[in-house]
Amino acid sequence: MIRKEENLFIGKPADTAAGNKAVYVALKSILKRVNPFKAFQVLKGLNQKNGVDCPGCAWPDPSHRSNLGEFCENGVKAIAEETMDKNADEAFFSKFTVAELKDKTDYWLGQQGRLTQPMMVRQGESHYASIEWDEAFALVAEKLNALPSPDDAIFYTSGRTSNEAAFLYQLFVRIFGTNNLPDCSNMCHESSGVALSHALGIGKGSVTLEDFEKSELILIFGQNPGTNHPRMLSSLEKAKKNGAKVVSINPLKEPGLIRFKNPQNLSGVLGAGTEITDLYLQVKINEDVALLKAVMISLLERHENGEGCIDLDFINDKTSDFELFKSSLQNESYDALIKRTGLEEKDVATLVDLIAKRKRIIACWAMGLTQHVNAVDNIQEVVNLLLLKGSIGKEGAGTCPVRGHSNVQGDRTMGIWEKPSKEFLNTLADTFNFQPPQNHGVDVVASIEKMTSTKGNVFMGLGGNFLSAAPDTHYTAKALSNCSLTVHVSTKLNRSHLEHGEVGLIFPCLGRTDQIVEKSGVQKLTVENSMGMVHTTEGMLKPRSEYLLSEPKIIAKIASLTVGNDVVDWESLIENYDNIRDLIAKSVKGFEKYNERITNENGFELPNGPRYGVFNTPSGKALFTVNKLPEHVLEENEYLMTTIRSHDQFNTTVYGLDDRYRGIFGARNIVLMNKEDMAVEGFKEQSLVTLYNTYGAKERLVENLKIVPYDIPRGCLATYFPECNALVPLGLKANLSHTPASKSVKVKIRK
């Protein structure tokens, strides 16, 4: 049945993930958008060696690929969105005014098809109209070169951009004269990078995919792999079969963490599947530090009582500041910590037992840890636990921040960062004989503040949906409309295109599945997965429009007109993308002999000290840290809200209106609420409410939300992203990393 968005149906949440239902939904999704021949063509090569890297999540590919299909339900949905037969062409834009498009849902906008030609609109005009590429490129160069300072331009990047495009982009921007290179990492795993760099000497995780098969215990914090990284469930299934225990620590019960029915195994088709979680702890929102402190207090007490459950040899040889860390725990009240978590003490004791008896421990986390004011503390406390156990730098153990978008990690490796290291800038200077800017640029939050406070900035987005991804939606919309020029390099229409500057440009680009042909022939691109492996991706579909250009080509065209060809011969680089990779090999550590190494069908591994027990910190040792508990002082009738994704969604892309695993169908304007809290407030299922708050004496609100009773701790609420991003104040951001604190926002409810 086709449901309209306002028709909410609430069913029973699932207790398993994947299975035959996932296969059915995936095939239904792609065949609704793509003809069967094209669907077969793209799926057979998806995530296969020398095939197309899924434009969805960054979970690594195994060495041995399944012949039945190396993809998940949401990966198929991502491919369906990119390859859909429908086009958003000139005729489409002539049919709808910008004002009319603003009234459409994000889901509707995304279903209008692939963009096929460059489009332009000026403030005061009602419609986007087509523009020739040469005129559009010249306009961008003119606007950029007319700025009083290069720092009046902001160059955003999304996580699906290839290594080649990311490298050219940052090189162009720095030759232009600014480090204003915010990216989607600023809004998701920036906190991981800051915490891990400080404590371990590298801002990436330390484990490989093979470590999951050798682990004894896997801790999963603030993550919903069944929806956001479904292929991770296969790794957890293998770990379980090899004897590992899994603990899930998350406010919501997520079916993907309960039981997995692998559709490629007989037990997943006909049987009950694999139980994933041995212990599920529904901690209150953002009380992970309290839980971890309580656990480590118990471990230290048990060790002092002769149980030998910490690794003193590792601590003495490989770490520093242990005594300071240990002393800080002695100032905490164990009972008070347990009370903060909302958990039963016996369940915490079970967790301590599991940790005490095991050494090969992997800690995984996602945005449930990274999007809080104290996010860096959250992750450093996870690292403290691993250091206490000696569970870094050995097989089957280590850190595993699970990244979202494919190649979000590669973008940072390529230099997409507003705070580049002196070492990287010096290498650029030596390689290209120019002086890169030295001052730090603006991150996402600072860029929004900058665009709001001053008129006339230029904003360019290389992929992504900046407006829907960012916090404080109305404030961010004002920021974009305050610009003299906004440029979005995109494959599909999204909400960011509708809040444009004095001039708004949409540049349609080739996607992952599209074949790229330049003067030297068919081109390959490369990406880096969540665990630091680099490999190729190559499209196979004929571009649907003669106007579609690759991201590297769009960047090169703009660069040649804006900064000229004195430092770099942009045209020669895009004749053959091997030329780009040769420059990367000279400029980025770990990419020596780049073109030669990508001929390995499994790719190659980037340097990673902690993976081998080497810590590139000032002391040469891993650091124990002292971390603060969060400070959430709630008034009467005030709740702590977290934003979440539905199962029909990846990042800002909404595939449909059904959150099947949570039993929510046909609507996205909902609030998940504990039944006891509902009774106190006098709410019933589907009661219509408004959420609001007053951070900074400014009221923010989202109206017409329906209450959904759910298994969530008391005092906590969950709403969908991006629908409730308007409630996330721009100034509510993580200490040090400045990541928007979208996972712990204080709100009140009114009928």
Side-chain angles (χ1 to χ4, degrees):
M1 181 176 70
I2 299 175
R3 301 180 179 91
K4 294 181 180 179
E5 184 156 7
E6 63 269 23
N7 293 335
L8 169 64
F9 172 75
I10 302 172
K12 183 180 178 182
D15 55 9
T16 62
N20 294 333
K21 180 71 172 179
V23 176
Y24 169 77
V25 172
L27 292 176
K28 181 180 178 182
S29 176
I30 194 167
L31 292 175
K32 176 183 176 182
R33 296 166 174 83
V34 176
N35 70 71
F37 175 77
K38 187 197 286 187
F40 174 76
Q41 187 180 7
V42 295
L43 291 181
K44 73 175 182 179
L46 184 58
N47 292 324
Q48 298 291 349
K49 297 174 182 179
N50 301 314
V52 178
D53 189 66
C54 180
C57 81
W59 190 253
D61 301 316
S63 297
H64 175 73
R65 314 292 164 88
S66 170
N67 293 325
L68 294 175
E70 193 58 57
F71 46 78
C72 67
E73 175 188 338
N74 277 357
V76 175
K77 291 176 182 176
I79 288 295
E81 295 281 307
E82 181 174 300
T83 60
M84 69 171 71
D85 294 326
K86 198 173 181 181
N87 289 334
D89 52 16
E90 186 175 17
F92 167 81
F93 282 101
S94 67
K95 182 179 178 181
F96 295 97
T97 66
V98 173
E100 287 172 335
L101 292 173
K102 285 184 182 182
D103 286 337
K104 303 296 185 181
T105 66
D106 288 68
Y107 171 60
W108 187 93
L109 293 174
Q111 297 308 302
Q112 302 316 301
R114 285 287 298 272
L115 298 164
T116 59
Q117 57 199 110
M119 306 297 294
M120 181 181 75
V121 66
R122 297 181 185 273
Q123 285 184 357
E125 295 176 345
S126 60
H127 291 72
Y128 268 99
S130 63
I131 182 174
E132 294 298 320
W133 273 119
D134 288 345
E135 182 183 352
F137 290 141
L139 179 58
V140 175
E142 176 189 344
K143 289 284 189 180
L144 287 173
N145 286 325
L147 292 172
S149 165
D151 289 332
D152 292 328
I154 293 162
F155 299 90
Y156 175 75
T157 317
S158 109
R160 67 164 178 78
T161 302
S162 67
N163 286 341
E164 291 76 11
F167 181 79
L168 287 190
Y169 197 47
Q170 65 82 30
L171 182 59
F172 154 56
V173 169
R174 292 190 166 108
I175 294 173
F176 178 65
T178 183
N179 282 316
N180 285 350
L181 282 160
D183 76 323
C184 57
S185 287
N186 294 153
M187 292 187 277
C188 55
H189 270 286
E190 194 70 56
S191 302
S192 299
V194 171
L196 294 173
S197 294
H198 175 69
L200 303 177
I202 190 172
K204 303 179 182 182
S206 66
V207 301
T208 66
L209 202 58
E210 290 72 26
D211 283 316
F212 278 78
E213 299 178 35
K214 301 171 183 176
S215 182
E216 296 174 300
L217 175 64
I218 300 169
L219 306 175
I220 302 174
F221 294 88
Q223 188 189 351
N224 178 15
T227 288
N228 297 320
H229 322 92
R231 289 197 298 151
M232 180 180 175
L233 298 181
S234 297
S235 296
L236 294 175
E237 180 184 48
K238 290 178 182 177
K240 291 286 292 186
K241 288 181 177 178
N242 289 340
K245 297 291 185 180
V246 174
V247 178
S248 296
I249 301 162
N250 196 58
L252 277 67
K253 270 278 183 75
E254 301 289 12
L257 290 170
I258 299 172
R259 185 174 293 275
F260 172 48
K261 298 183 74 171
N262 190 336
Q264 299 199 3
N265 295 338
L266 190 61
S267 64
V269 175
L270 301 177
T274 301
E275 184 181 16
I276 296 296
T277 297
D278 296 279
L279 176 65
Y280 207 121
L281 300 177
Q282 288 183 260
V283 66
K284 285 191 172 184
I285 290 172
N286 198 25
E287 291 297 350
D288 303 271
V289 170
L291 173 61
L292 287 161
K293 286 183 183 295
V295 167
M296 290 186 288
I297 287 170
S298 291
L299 288 172
L300 287 168
E301 287 180 352
R302 290 172 64 158
H303 184 79
E304 290 171 1
N305 290 332
E307 292 189 34
C309 52
I310 69 173
D311 191 337
L312 276 180
D313 289 338
F314 177 88
I315 291 169
N316 292 331
D317 293 343
K318 295 287 187 178
T319 75
S320 65
D321 296 341
F322 172 64
E323 292 301 326
L324 181 64
F325 156 78
K326 183 178 176 181
S327 175
S328 72
L329 287 182
Q330 293 170 347
N331 296 324
E332 301 288 352
S333 163
Y334 177 82
D335 290 339
L337 292 170
I338 296 295
K339 184 177 180 181
R340 289 185 64 129
T341 67
L343 301 170
E344 296 289 334
E345 195 279 334
K346 62 181 178 61
D347 292 329
V348 178
T350 301
L351 174 60
V352 174
D353 284 338
L354 288 168
I355 294 172
K357 297 172 183 176
R358 291 162 178 83
K359 295 183 178 180
R360 298 196 304 276
I361 302 171
I362 293 174
C364 307
W365 67 89
M367 286 183 285
L369 288 194
T370 66
Q371 291 185 325
H372 303 280
V373 170
N374 66 314
V376 173
D377 296 77
N378 284 339
I379 295 149
Q380 288 182 165
E381 205 69 85
V382 172
V383 172
N384 283 341
L385 175 61
L386 294 176
L387 295 179
L388 200 63
K389 293 294 299 179
S391 293
I392 295 180
K394 64 176 61 170
E395 288 187 336
T399 56
C400 183
V402 184
R403 307 278 176 169
H405 234 142
S406 170
N407 210 44
V408 61
Q409 188 160 292
D411 286 352
R412 181 57 56 86
T413 304
M414 290 294 105
I416 299 291
W417 195 20
E418 76 280 358
K419 298 176 183 177
S421 68
K422 294 292 183 183
E423 180 186 13
F424 180 76
L425 293 178
N426 290 339
T427 301
L428 288 183
D430 293 342
T431 303
F432 297 99
N433 195 29
F434 81 104
Q435 185 56 49
Q438 301 297 304
N439 294 333
H440 285 172
V442 291
D443 57 25
V444 164
V445 170
S447 69
I448 296 170
E449 292 170 338
K450 177 180 175 63
M451 290 186 289
T452 305
S453 62
T454 59
K455 289 184 70 69
N457 292 275
V458 170
F459 175 89
M460 180 173 174
L462 188 63
N465 182 355
F466 185 81
L467 175 59
S468 291
D472 224 334
T473 311
H474 303 302
Y475 196 82
T476 302
K478 178 184 175 183
L480 290 171
S481 62
N482 223 14
C483 291
S484 63
L485 173 69
T486 51
V487 185
H488 296 280
V489 181
S490 306
T491 57
K492 295 193 310 163
L493 181 66
N494 66 54
R495 193 157 300 281
S496 297
H497 304 146
L498 309 179
E499 299 291 348
H500 55 81
E502 293 175 16
V503 178
L505 291 170
I506 302 174
F507 286 174
C509 66
L510 296 167
R512 287 272 178 91
T513 55
D514 297 318
Q515 190 176 70
I516 301 174
V517 181
E518 304 291 2
K519 282 187 178 180
S520 63
V522 177
Q523 305 297 314
K524 291 183 178 181
L525 297 170
T526 57
V527 295
E528 177 186 345
N529 67 34
S530 190
M531 295 178 184
M533 294 293 295
V534 178
H535 59 91
T536 62
T537 177
E538 184 176 351
M540 81 296 288
L541 298 179
K542 179 183 177 182
R544 66 189 59 204
S545 165
E546 62 181 314
Y547 295 105
L548 296 185
L549 302 179
S550 72
E551 287 181 327
K553 192 163 190 171
I554 291 171
I555 296 162
K557 291 288 188 180
I558 294 173
S560 64
L561 291 174
T562 306
V563 300
N565 296 290
D566 293 340
V567 177
V568 175
D569 183 352
W570 302 98
E571 291 292 334
S572 69
L573 287 182
I574 57 172
E575 288 178 0
N576 187 330
Y577 292 1
D578 283 352
N579 297 334
I580 305 173
R581 288 185 283 271
D582 283 338
L583 292 184
I584 294 172
K586 296 177 182 178
S587 309
V588 184
K589 186 180 294 184
F591 285 82
E592 299 78 13
K593 298 181 180 179
Y594 196 177
N595 281 309
E596 178 182 333
R597 292 162 74 193
I598 61 171
T599 59
N600 184 330
E601 61 183 12
N602 288 316
F604 63 90
E605 177 184 333
L606 292 176
N608 190 308
R611 186 170 290 168
Y612 304 101
V614 178
F615 305 103
N616 187 27
T617 61
S619 66
K621 293 187 175 185
L623 306 181
F624 277 96
T625 54
V626 176
N627 301 298
K628 295 180 180 180
L629 292 162
E631 300 175 359
H632 297 300
V633 180
L634 298 176
E635 299 176 6
E636 187 177 357
N637 300 324
E638 196 167 37
Y639 294 83
L640 206 57
M641 180 195 81
T642 184
T643 58
I644 58 176
R645 276 76 169 161
S646 78
H647 189 62
D648 252 352
Q649 177 181 6
F650 184 77
N651 289 350
T652 59
T653 303
V654 179
Y655 303 135
L657 302 177
D658 292 349
D659 195 351
R660 188 174 81 250
Y661 287 168
R662 297 191 181 106
I664 301 168
F665 302 90
R668 292 184 54 82
N669 294 322
I670 56 93
V671 183
L672 303 185
M673 192 174 191
N674 182 285
K675 288 183 179 180
E676 293 181 43
D677 286 335
M678 287 174 58
V680 170
E681 296 282 359
F683 295 142
K684 298 184 182 300
E685 184 178 292
Q686 298 205 39
S687 289
L688 205 61
V689 300
T690 293
L691 294 187
Y692 68 99
N693 57 32
T694 52
Y695 285 89
K698 174 185 175 183
E699 184 176 78
R700 295 169 178 81
L701 58 84
V702 176
E703 300 175 298
N704 298 318
L705 299 168
K706 292 183 177 180
I707 296 287
V708 175
Y710 208 78
D711 186 1
I712 186 172
R714 291 204 63 183
C716 300
L717 304 174
T719 59
Y720 287 138
F721 158 105
E723 283 77 5
C724 285
N725 282 11
L727 292 165
V728 184
L730 192 65
L732 191 69
K733 58 186 180 181
N735 299 322
L736 300 178
S737 71
H738 300 166
T739 300
S742 305
K743 296 292 186 185
S744 50
V745 181
K746 292 191 287 187
V747 296
K748 290 186 176 182
I749 313 178
R750 58 175 173 240
K751 295 181 182 178

